[in-house]
Amino acid sequence: MSKWRKPRYTIDRSARLSLQRWLLGAACWVVLGFGNGEASAAMSADEQILLRMQTLPSPVETGAEARAGRLILREFQQLYPQYRIERFVFPALEGMAMDQGPLMAITTGVPPLGIYVNFRQSSTYVNHGFLVPQEILVARIKSDNPLTRETDARGNWKADPTDEEIAAALEAIRARVAPAAWQVVYREADTDREGVPRGRHVWALPFGNVASALLYRKDVFAEAGLDPERPPRDWEEFLYFARRIRSTPGKFGFMFNVGINTSYSVMPFMAANHVSYMDQDEDGNWRAAFNTPAAAETIYFLLELTHGRFTTDDGRELAGAAFAPLGGGRDMGIRWARGDIGMQFNQGLSFERGLDINPANTGIAPIPAAPSGSSRGTVNARMLGVFSGATPEQQLGVMRYIWFLTGDEGREIRAREMVADGFGEFMEPEILRRFGYDDILERVDQDWLTALESALTDGEPEPFGRNTQLIYQYVSEPINWALDRPELLNLPREDALARIEAQLDVAAQRVNRFMLGELTPQEWRNRRLVGGMALALIVVIFFTAVRIVWRAFTRNEKAMGDRPAMSKIKWAYVMVAPVLAAVIFTNYLPLFLGVPLALFDFQLVLQSVFVGLDNFATVLY
């Protein structure tokens, strides 16, 4: 079966735009009170070009990062006065606010033109046509031909950059991207939808790398009789250190979060053992990749760390060296702050941001090496993309801002502010060296340097493939299954590993079938049949209920006698009308406007596809 089902019907572009603006835009306008903002964004030729950007610094924050962001913005606007930059702001509903704001803004006509892209968002944004290939825009910026930056009366580019200019731009972009993140930044779309550029492209450019490392409390180490300047180097040492710390009354050796995101909190262990949660097969299809012996070994190690029994030096027998509360939350931070925990992972470390740690009390170390000898962490990045719905002039302006932000100009401003705030020792050594901070470079902690450089060079990228938004929940299921069964440690190691691998296989099948939609044509036919029957049953129940209610009220009305004259009750209707209109407008109108969307694979930017009952079948299963 192919990766994407062939559409049975499609809406042509003009009809699609009309349907999109009227149905979905009207529904969002009704619910949120926003109108289509395209008219307000339109400007005459002698006005500034509007750039609506995500991730702009807050005007009220006083930290080094916010100050640097405001200075970068000010310098850019002085260099390019033709642009007027606005901070993207949009209300978010309860839940995944990071996604909701941009998506709902796109439907209402006020999209962010510089759009924030996270690794797990990236595939969705690419496959739905939200992003413009950036190497072509950079080539336009750097081209010697001014016509590549000009448009005609129809808004089309007058000329395109040459292949050589695009190749040079691609190399310039690659120089700004961490090696471990390049496969995320430069890749092919996972769809054959019309309107998505074919081939490999740069879809978003990182402006801040984020990596994982081990944090350890030096005072807790010293209290447990461990060298406070010597963190664990491998899993064997890690388990020994954790148990030594647990032997101290009231202390735990390690801390991690248990729940629907357990797999995220222990992902550095998985990455160190070369376990990827998702990967592409030979045909380029994304599949679950965590059902491996290495993943089972990692979970078994977590089981030993959390439930394994051991004897202390003074003869006490204890079970488990880790603090692993369900749901995590505030209690974890409190315990870490008061020194009850010896070690934890931090997956938000960055050269570009200040850290709220005291290096005299808290050490930073690379992820301990797995039994195979591998030691690597996870890597993510804060990225900015260019929205495809922007005008050519806006696309060029957004790309200029991104290029300024990630270039030497932006880095120098950021370095100056970080050094002024005392965070120079946590900056990238190459940045310190380039901008003349050699005295600070000598004080950079080598463990901190090794942890981040190894992650950015050879780290495991956080999941970035198709439909990866919920991957952590699926991978957490077999991990939580094992952590809930400490009796596995009483079995021979091979038997315990076999049972864990069986659970990993079940979870991987669930990912492939339910998250990635790997179904045969016969399975789709069965689902559509059942979905159609369920929909028909719902419709019959609805109209039957309406009929019963109507008849009941009719009988009651007849029992009450003749209806009063309209002249006697007209003011009652006048009083009820505003409330009734408000209820219809806010509750029922969005419902009826949204009904046609249920029959389409509805696209905000690309061509929508009629899929019939597929959406109902998918939800039902």
Side-chain angles (χ1 to χ4, degrees):
M1 181 181 178
S2 63
K3 181 168 57 174
W4 295 95
R5 303 186 307 279
K6 295 293 184 181
R8 286 173 283 170
Y9 303 98
T10 62
I11 308 175
D12 62 43
R13 182 168 180 80
S14 60
R16 189 268 303 170
L17 287 173
S18 177
L19 181 62
Q20 172 177 318
R21 292 184 179 180
W22 187 77
L23 289 180
L24 198 53
C28 288
W29 186 90
V30 166
V31 175
L32 295 175
F34 284 86
N36 192 302
E38 292 180 353
S40 63
M43 293 167 291
S44 61
D46 58 346
E47 290 181 321
Q48 289 180 308
I49 300 172
L50 172 65
L51 305 182
R52 190 182 300 109
M53 305 285 297
Q54 282 187 275
T55 73
L56 288 184
S58 169
V60 298
E61 291 183 8
T62 58
E65 187 177 8
R67 289 202 317 273
R70 290 194 292 268
L71 287 173
I72 291 171
L73 181 59
R74 190 179 309 155
E75 292 281 346
F76 176 80
Q77 290 190 301
Q78 289 177 356
L79 187 62
Y80 298 101
Q82 69 267 36
Y83 299 119
R84 176 167 60 89
I85 301 181
E86 291 184 357
R87 189 170 184 232
F88 170 76
V89 179
F90 202 87
L93 302 178
E94 187 71 22
M96 303 177 72
M98 185 171 61
D99 295 325
Q100 290 169 354
L103 296 181
M104 297 181 76
I106 291 171
T107 66
T108 57
V110 286
L113 307 181
I115 188 168
Y116 178 79
V117 184
N118 184 272
F119 276 22
R120 283 181 293 139
Q121 290 172 308
S122 59
S123 182
T124 298
Y125 283 9
V126 170
N127 294 335
H128 286 270
F130 291 176
L131 304 177
V132 177
Q134 292 191 354
E135 74 277 9
I136 301 176
L137 290 175
V138 173
R140 294 186 185 280
I141 293 173
K142 300 170 73 69
S143 175
D144 294 331
N145 181 6
L147 295 179
T148 62
R149 296 181 289 275
E150 298 177 4
T151 57
D152 58 24
R154 296 183 177 180
N156 298 318
W157 295 109
K158 290 183 178 180
D160 291 325
T162 65
D163 292 341
E164 291 75 13
E165 289 174 331
I166 294 175
L170 190 60
E171 288 304 312
I173 293 173
R174 184 162 191 167
R176 300 186 179 191
V177 179
W182 182 245
Q183 59 180 307
V184 184
V185 172
Y186 182 64
R187 70 181 196 263
E188 195 169 358
D190 303 318
T191 179
D192 55 5
R193 289 189 176 106
E194 184 180 353
V196 179
R198 299 292 185 265
R200 297 166 67 89
H201 296 286
V202 173
W203 301 103
L205 191 58
F207 64 93
N209 297 310
V210 180
S212 62
L214 177 70
L215 299 186
Y216 64 97
R217 289 287 300 255
K218 296 180 180 180
D219 54 342
V220 176
F221 269 45
E223 189 176 354
L226 300 170
D227 184 352
E229 301 299 331
R230 206 278 194 183
R233 306 300 185 190
D234 54 36
W235 287 9
E236 183 178 355
E237 283 189 357
F238 186 92
L239 182 61
Y240 172 74
F241 282 26
R243 288 177 171 176
R244 282 291 300 269
I245 295 171
R246 183 69 182 95
S247 300
T248 306
K251 307 292 183 183
F252 287 90
F254 181 61
M255 174 177 68
F256 68 98
N257 181 19
V258 172
I260 60 174
N261 291 320
T262 304
S263 61
Y264 174 78
S265 62
V266 301
M267 192 176 175
F269 278 136
M270 292 286 192
N273 211 15
H274 283 273
V275 176
S276 299
Y277 289 169
M278 293 184 68
D279 204 353
Q280 288 179 289
D281 60 19
E282 296 178 354
D283 298 326
N285 299 318
W286 286 96
R287 294 179 57 84
F290 56 86
N291 54 329
T292 63
E297 291 173 359
T298 305
I299 296 174
Y300 190 85
F301 174 75
L302 289 172
L303 193 61
E304 288 184 309
L305 185 64
T306 309
H307 296 293
R309 306 191 70 83
F310 63 97
T311 304
T312 64
D313 292 342
D314 56 4
R316 290 178 294 134
E317 187 173 349
L318 299 175
F323 176 67
L326 180 64
R330 186 167 175 264
D331 190 37
M332 296 179 69
I334 293 175
R335 283 181 174 270
W336 175 261
R338 71 187 186 190
D340 293 344
I341 309 295
M343 297 176 286
Q344 70 166 336
F345 289 137
N346 187 313
Q347 301 193 62
L349 298 181
S350 171
F351 281 128
E352 293 85 2
R353 306 174 79 176
L355 298 178
D356 56 350
I357 65 172
N358 179 4
N361 193 46
T362 303
I364 305 175
I367 303 300
S372 62
S374 170
S375 175
R376 64 173 188 164
T378 59
V379 62
N380 204 323
R382 298 174 293 159
M383 303 189 295
L384 274 174
V386 181
F387 181 55
S388 61
T391 67
E393 292 82 2
Q394 289 173 326
Q395 292 179 10
L396 200 62
V398 171
M399 192 67 247
R400 278 176 168 152
Y401 174 77
I402 296 174
W403 199 245
F404 185 87
L405 176 67
T406 60
D408 283 347
E409 302 94 335
R411 289 184 174 186
E412 195 278 331
I413 294 173
R414 189 181 297 109
R416 185 173 67 239
E417 294 302 310
M418 296 291 286
V419 169
D421 252 28
F423 294 114
E425 295 179 24
F426 298 109
M427 294 209 65
E428 185 177 358
E430 177 58 30
I431 297 297
L432 296 173
R433 188 179 298 111
R434 181 179 304 177
F435 299 115
Y437 298 106
D438 294 328
D439 56 328
I440 298 177
L441 183 61
E442 297 175 357
R443 303 199 301 269
V444 174
D445 184 85
Q446 290 303 306
D447 281 332
W448 153 256
L449 176 62
T450 302
L452 266 75
E453 286 190 339
S454 63
L456 298 180
T457 302
D458 190 39
E460 171 68 22
E462 290 194 40
F464 62 94
R466 183 168 65 92
N467 291 356
T468 56
Q469 291 285 36
L470 300 178
I471 184 63
Y472 291 131
Q473 297 182 26
Y474 282 95
V475 184
S476 294
E477 292 177 1
I479 300 177
N480 293 336
W481 178 89
L483 294 179
D484 285 341
R485 290 165 175 76
E487 62 272 13
L488 290 172
L489 295 173
N490 299 327
L491 300 175
R493 179 183 173 88
E494 294 303 319
D495 291 347
L497 289 174
R499 294 194 180 188
I500 295 173
E501 284 190 54
Q503 293 299 316
L504 289 170
D505 288 336
V506 171
Q509 291 175 7
R510 284 173 52 81
V511 168
N512 293 334
R513 288 177 59 83
F514 298 110
M515 198 177 82
L516 301 179
E518 265 191 16
L519 301 173
T520 64
Q522 182 60 45
E523 287 175 319
W524 270 113
R525 284 192 290 270
N526 293 340
R527 287 193 173 198
R528 288 167 182 151
L529 177 62
V530 175
M533 294 171 61
L535 180 60
L537 180 62
I538 293 172
V539 172
V540 169
I541 292 174
F542 175 78
F543 282 104
T544 300
V546 170
R547 181 179 177 85
I548 292 173
V549 171
W550 185 271
R551 285 185 171 182
F553 275 92
T554 302
R555 285 195 299 268
N556 291 337
E557 188 177 22
K558 289 180 179 179
M560 293 172 64
D562 296 335
R563 295 180 59 185
M566 179 59 68
S567 60
K568 295 182 178 181
I569 62 173
K570 64 180 179 181
W571 291 112
Y573 280 105
V574 171
M575 294 176 65
V576 171
V579 178
L580 182 62
V583 171
I584 293 174
F585 192 70
T586 58
N587 290 357
Y588 293 99
L589 182 59
L591 176 64
F592 285 111
L593 290 175
V595 167
L597 306 184
L599 303 176
F600 286 85
D601 177 11
F602 199 87
Q603 300 294 314
L604 300 179
V605 175
L606 304 177
Q607 181 172 279
S608 296
V609 177
F610 179 78
V611 294
L613 300 175
D614 287 3
N615 292 331
F616 295 95
T618 300
V619 171
L620 185 64
Y621 277 83

